[in-house]
Amino acid sequence: ESLGGGRIPSNCIVDASAATMARAAQKKPKTKVSKGKKKIDKKNTAGTKAKSGGKRKEDGLGSATARSKNASRFSAFLPTGGFSLGLGSLAKSKVNKSVLDYENYHKYENGKSVNQTKAKKKYTDMVNKYYDLATSFYEYAWGDCFHFAHRLKGETLRESIKRHEHFLASKFTSGLPKPKHGGKGARPRVLDVGCGIGGPAREISSFCGVDVTGLNNNAYQVDRARDITQKKRDAAKAAIAGAPPAVLGNCEFVKGDFMKMPFPDNHFDAAYAIEATCHAPKAEDIYKEMLRVVKPGGRVAIYEWCLTDKYDPKNESHKLFKHQIEIGNGLPDIRTTKQCKDAMAKAGWQVVEDIDLASCSPVPWYEPLYPTQGYFSSLEALSSIKSSPIGAKVTHGFCWLLESLRLAPKGTTRVSSVLQQGAIGLIDGGKIDAFTPMYLLVGRKPTSAAKKK
């Protein structure tokens, strides 16, 4: 999820391996590197990736061929991504094994997740498997923005999602210095950590006038982000003759591990993450990596998924909803709000602000999953039926039918069951205020002068 403005380049994928080696080369003590070398050569790395077919170890059972076919033929009318196709980067024959492997990461016995250590150690494989399996379902039910929102009464879900993104952007764009890179007309560079298929990034770029780079380790989501962004850009250009870049925005998407970001030190003016860093095996480590790539004085703003102080680790029902959220959303372990705040400070950020926005939301954040006033209370409630329990059951039955007719890959119904578990856990945790998907953390990177003090 990332965009920005200035010029209108073609979308591109950057392979993390090439960029990481470039960064490593910069750190060799006796090697002089020109300023130009510090820039990521998107054109060359994208070409290298295309020739190699895009196959990487952490991509699990996926392949570039299946990914390209599934991404190009996605249909909003089918949660499975299209008739007789696979899911994400997975060919039809790989789906069932992938979902079984994924479920094994979240094996739950006697009130305990027995493979949690394995899930943390192999987080790239676990999270990639999850998003290969789940992204088509997400896009089917949620569109291009896969996140919850603080919501006002009388506000539609779509309106609340946009306002939620604008509010987050206000936390890191305030006081951004004039860019020293790119010359006249250059705009601040912002990093979107865990960008999904680009929804929030496209909005933040055009709304705030910043260049956003989206980082994502799932190749299928990067492909979808590229396709959607290009179509939106073409439509905007066609609708507004001679539209300036400031209107259209500017975006690029980088494939890479956010625990080992393929960017130089002090590269971005700011960074943000929307319900993404919860996938990290250790909060302090992801916050440290974000600190490294942001310039001194720059800010980071994050919406975290957290357990609140109402969570009781000894309560069996609490442990169950925690497990359901983890397996249904690709999380290695859910942290508490205190753990996340402490981790940000330990990572080196100056914590500027923290607040649980769920605690002051007039409309419950889980309303899209569970309409509190009933499904027929309003057109808005009815429009959310796809993501509701009733909608989930209909989708599940539809998946079973397609799978039985061999029009959907074997394992599709299991994927639907996994996602239903996640929804049940989110609703149960939300009802008792023991879980929040919108714990806001805002940090500022100290300047060298501040460090000396």
Side-chain angles (χ1 to χ4, degrees), residues 48-168:
T48 301
K49 182 175 179 62
K51 290 177 182 178
S52 66
K55 179 66 177 174
R56 293 178 57 79
K57 186 177 180 180
E58 66 268 23
D59 288 342
L61 300 173
S63 71
T65 301
R67 178 169 68 247
S68 177
K69 184 184 294 185
N70 293 339
S72 64
R73 294 177 62 185
F74 172 81
S75 168
F77 298 102
L78 290 170
T80 58
F83 286 114
S84 300
L85 296 178
L87 292 173
S89 295
L90 303 171
K92 188 175 181 179
S93 61
K94 302 291 185 181
V95 172
N96 193 53
K97 183 180 188 313
S98 192
V99 70
L100 291 173
D101 289 346
Y102 173 76
E103 287 179 316
N104 187 54
Y105 280 118
H106 294 280
K107 192 174 182 180
Y108 192 70
E109 294 178 347
N110 301 319
K112 184 179 179 181
S113 296
V114 297
N115 288 335
Q116 196 169 79
T117 300
K118 179 182 176 182
K120 289 182 178 181
K121 185 177 180 180
K122 296 186 176 182
Y123 69 94
T124 54
D125 182 66
M126 186 269 288
V127 176
N128 256 313
K129 279 185 168 63
Y130 174 76
Y131 279 114
D132 273 337
L133 295 165
T135 298
S136 292
F137 286 83
Y138 273 19
E139 196 172 349
Y140 165 74
W142 288 81
D144 62 356
C145 297
F146 306 159
H147 65 83
F148 295 100
H150 177 280
R151 190 167 168 186
L152 304 175
K153 291 184 177 180
E155 190 175 43
T156 67
L157 175 61
R158 193 65 180 172
E159 289 170 345
S160 69
I161 284 175
K162 296 305 177 188
R163 184 174 55 77
H164 198 57
E165 293 166 359
H166 297 171
F167 181 73
L168 185 73

Side-chain angles (χ1 to χ4, degrees), residues 281-353:
K282 190 175 180 182
E284 185 178 344
D285 289 350
I286 179 62
Y287 296 160
K288 279 183 178 178
E289 191 65 353
M290 295 176 80
L291 183 81
R292 180 184 67 77
V293 300
V294 170
K295 296 174 183 178
R299 291 196 175 200
V300 65
I302 301 171
Y303 284 140
E304 278 285 9
W305 279 32
C306 292
L307 299 170
T308 72
D309 55 9
K310 293 185 179 180
Y311 175 76
D312 180 1
K314 296 181 180 179
N315 186 308
E316 291 300 320
S317 64
H318 286 210
K319 289 194 289 185
L320 177 59
F321 85 67
K322 177 178 180 289
H323 163 70
Q324 290 172 323
I325 293 174
E326 288 167 351
I327 188 173
N329 295 277
L331 309 184
D333 188 16
I334 308 177
R335 295 173 276 267
T336 66
T337 53
K338 183 179 185 304
Q339 287 173 329
C340 286
K341 183 178 180 180
D342 290 347
M344 177 171 274
K346 288 179 181 177
W349 292 97
Q350 295 173 343
V351 180
V352 175
E353 182 181 357

